Amino acid sequence: MIEIENITKRYGDNTVVDTVSMTVEPHTITVIVGTSGSGKTTLMRMINRLVEPSEGMIRIDGADNRSIPGYELRRHIGYAIQGHGLFPHRTVGENIATVPTLLGWDKKRIAAKVEELLTLFQLDPSAFGPRYPHELSGGQQQRVGVARALAAEPNILLMDEPFGALDPVIRAKAQDDLLAIQKHFGTTIVLVTHDMEEAFHLADKIAVMDKGRIVQCAAPEEMLVNPATDFVETLIGTEERPFRLLSIGTAGDAAEAGEAQGEPIAASLSQREALSSLLWSGREALPVVGSDGAPLGRVTLAGLARRAARPQ
Amino acid sequence: MRRFLPNLLRLAALILLIAFLVRPELFEPLLKPLVQANAPAIYNQGSLLSLTLSHLATVFTATFAATLVAVGLAILVTRPVGAEFLPLSRSLVNIGQTFPPVAVLALAVPIVGFGEKPTLIALFLYGLLPVFENAMTGLSTLPKAIVEAARGTGMTAWQQLTRVELPLALPVILAGIRLSVTISLATATIGSTVAAKTLGEVIIAGLQSNNLAFVLQGGVVVAVLAVLIYDAFSAVERALARRAGRV
C-alpha cells in the first residue's frame, strides 16, 4: 500500500505537484494520466525518491519512505522507464541481475532469478542471457527492462511510459504481458502514461492529473459515467466513451447462454475486441471459448450494445 | 579481412623496429650513404634500446599522471558538488596546453635541476588538456535514460560512477589519452636539451655533428613508436565501443 499525503513539489516559484493525496491499494494497477507537464512523472518519482518532495509525506506499507536512504529504498521498488534504459555495456543477464547484485544475493540465486524472468518473458535464457542490449529488438529490450525492474521481487513497480517507444502491435502484446505478470507476482503497479487507451486497458484505478493536482481518482467505469470535470471528459474523449466502457470488461464476462456460428472469440479478449470481430464478420453473434477451448456461450451485438450504453 | 593488410604492415613495422633497436649494426649499410666518410652511421654514444625504453618510460609516467589528474578533475566537475569548479579547471588545463613545453623546461630547470624531472613536468602539463576535455565530453553526454536507470535501480553515487558512467565514457576517455600519448612521444625529444634520457639525444647528437643518419634514426624510431601506439589505442577503443553497441 502506498499512501501519498499532501505531497507538494516546487521548483523555485513553479509548483509542479500541488498538495496531492491518494492511496494505492496493494496488488492493483493504478495508472496516472495527464497531459505533458501535468506533474504525473514527478509525482511518481517522489514515491522512490528520485525526486525529493518539498512538502508532505509518502508512506509505503505504513513506513515513511524517508526512513531509509534513497538508494536503499530504490532497491526495493522496481522502476521501468520509457526507452528501457538498459546498460549497453552489460549483457542482458547482467542487466537483469543489477538489483540482486546490489543487494548482495549469492550467485546461484541470481542466476536462477535471471533464468526464471527470461523464461517468463518468453526469452530463451541461454540465447538471450549473454547478448548485449543493442542486439535485441525494441520489444525485447522493453521486456528486459521490465524484467530488470522485477528482479529483486519488489512489492511495488513504478513504470514511466514503459510502452511509449513501442509500435502498436508490440505495445498491445507488452500490455497483455504486463497484466499477466501482475497477476503472477501480485505486484502493486503505478504506471504513468498519456495514452488513455492504455489507461483503460490496464487500470484498476485511474488518477487524472492536471496542473499539478489530481482532478479525479476513480475506477475506469466510474470515471466514464461520472467524469469529475470537463477536463476529464475531454481526456476520455466523448465519442470514445462506449468503446472505452467495452474495453474494460472481457468477452467472457459478456458471454450469454446460447450457440452461434463462426470463428470463436477467446474469453480473455476485451468486449471491444469482441464487438470489432462481430462487426467485421457481419454476424449478430459469435461463440466464446475459454483458454482451454471449451465453449462458454456466445456474445451478441445486442448484448454488447447494452453494455456499451451509459450505465444507469 | 579488411584489416588484414594494415595489421600485416603494423606487424612488419614492429619487427623492424625491434630488430633495429636490438641489432642496429645490421642496418648500417642502409644508413652509410647518408654520412660523410669515417663518420659513424649508427648512434654510438649509448644504447638505442635503453634510450627508447627510458623515452617510453618518461612518456608513460607523464601521461599516466596527467590522466589521473585530468580524469579526476573531469569527474569532480561533472558532479553536482563540483560543477562550479568547471570554469577554473578548464582555465588551468588550457594554460597547461598553451604554455610551450620549451618554456616549461626553461622555467623548471632552475627549480628542479637538469634531468628527467623538467621533462616530466612539461609533458604532464601538455598532456592534461586532451584527456580532460575528452573525459568531460564522455561523462557529460551519457544517454539520460541510462543514468536515470542507474539511479532508479538503487545505485549509490559511487556505484553509478564506477559501474555505469566511467565504463560507458571509457572509449572517449581513451581517445583523449591516445592524443596525449602521441603528442608526448614527439615532445619528449626536446627533453634531451635538459639532459633527460630520451631519443632526442640521438637527434641532437646528429644535429651537432652534422650527421643525417643520427637525426634520421632518432626521428624514425619516435615516429614508428607513435604510429604503433596510436593504432593500439584505437583498436582498444573500437573494441570497447563495439561491445557497448555504440558503432
Side-chain angles (χ1 to χ4, degrees), chain A residues 112-123:
Chain A
K113 191 74 206 174
V114 169
E115 192 169 326
E116 179 200 330
L117 281 166
L118 281 172
T119 312
L120 190 66
F121 281 90
Q122 297 139 41
L123 297 165

Side-chain angles (χ1 to χ4, degrees), chain B residues 58-59 62 66 118-128 180 183-184 187-188:
Chain B
T58 308
V59 168
T119 316
L120 283 173
I121 294 172
L123 294 183
F124 166 77
L125 290 176
Y126 213 49
L128 282 175
S180 193
I183 297 170
S184 291
T187 314

Side-chain angles (χ1 to χ4, degrees), chain A residues 103-224:
Chain A
L103 289 171
W105 288 15
D106 66 65
K107 281 206 172 96
K108 255 169 94 180
R109 186 171 168 208
I110 295 177
K113 191 74 206 174
V114 169
E115 192 169 326
E116 179 200 330
L117 281 166
L118 281 172
T119 312
L120 190 66
F121 281 90
Q122 297 139 41
L123 297 165
D124 175 14
S126 55
F128 284 94
R131 288 200 201 167
Y132 284 93
H134 70 273
E135 299 172 290
L136 271 54
S137 72
Q140 290 164 342
Q141 289 174 341
Q142 192 274 337
R143 275 183 272 168
V144 175
V146 179
R148 179 176 67 181
L150 290 170
E153 299 166 3
N155 290 327
I156 296 171
L157 173 60
L158 306 179
M159 308 182 91
D160 188 0
E161 306 217 9
F163 311 122
L166 302 180
D167 66 61
V169 178
I170 301 173
R171 189 183 310 162
K173 165 98 173 68
Q175 289 166 348
D176 290 338
D177 286 349
L178 182 69
L179 287 172
I181 297 281
Q182 198 265 345
K183 232 174 230 158
H184 182 94
F185 289 114
T187 317
T188 308
I189 297 179
V190 178
L191 186 146
V192 161
T193 183
H194 58 254
D195 179 354
M196 287 307 278
E197 196 81 44
E198 184 164 287
F200 276 92
H201 184 42
L202 298 175
D204 293 308
K205 242 181 181 183
I206 299 179
V208 178
M209 279 194 81
D210 185 31
K211 302 190 186 90
R213 286 174 172 275
I214 291 200
V215 186
Q216 187 172 18
C217 181
E221 302 89 338
E222 166 73 16
M223 190 165 283
L224 278 172

Side-chain angles (χ1 to χ4, degrees), chain A residues 256-300:
Chain A
E256 307 162 12
E259 291 198 0
Q261 296 299 310
E263 189 72 20
I265 294 169
S268 60
L269 288 185
S270 75
Q271 291 165 13
R272 183 184 180 146
E273 288 164 306
L275 175 68
S276 166
S277 302
L278 283 169
L279 291 173
W280 190 246
S281 61
R283 291 175 189 271
E284 293 287 323
L286 280 174
V288 178
V289 294
S291 54
D292 51 356
L296 296 173
R298 59 175 193 166
V299 286
T300 61

Side-chain angles (χ1 to χ4, degrees), chain A residues 45 48-50 71 74-75 77 79 81-90 98-99 101-102 132 134 148, chain B residues 144-156 159-160 163-165 167-168 242-247:
Chain A
R45 285 158 55 98
N48 67 355
R49 284 175 58 199
L50 280 171
Y71 61 86
R74 289 190 278 275
R75 288 175 192 174
I77 297 180
Y79 185 57
I81 51 179
Q82 180 174 13
H84 62 74
L86 294 177
F87 304 133
H89 60 303
R90 296 205 182 166
T98 304
V99 188
T101 308
L102 291 172
Y132 284 93
H134 70 273
R148 179 176 67 181
Chain B
K144 256 186 97 183
I146 293 171
V147 182
E148 169 87 9
R151 251 190 101 204
T153 51
M155 291 190 188
T156 60
Q159 287 166 336
Q160 281 175 52
R163 299 188 185 194
V164 177
E165 296 178 40
L168 286 179
R242 197 165 36 241
R243 219 186 65 172
R246 281 212 177 172
V247 279

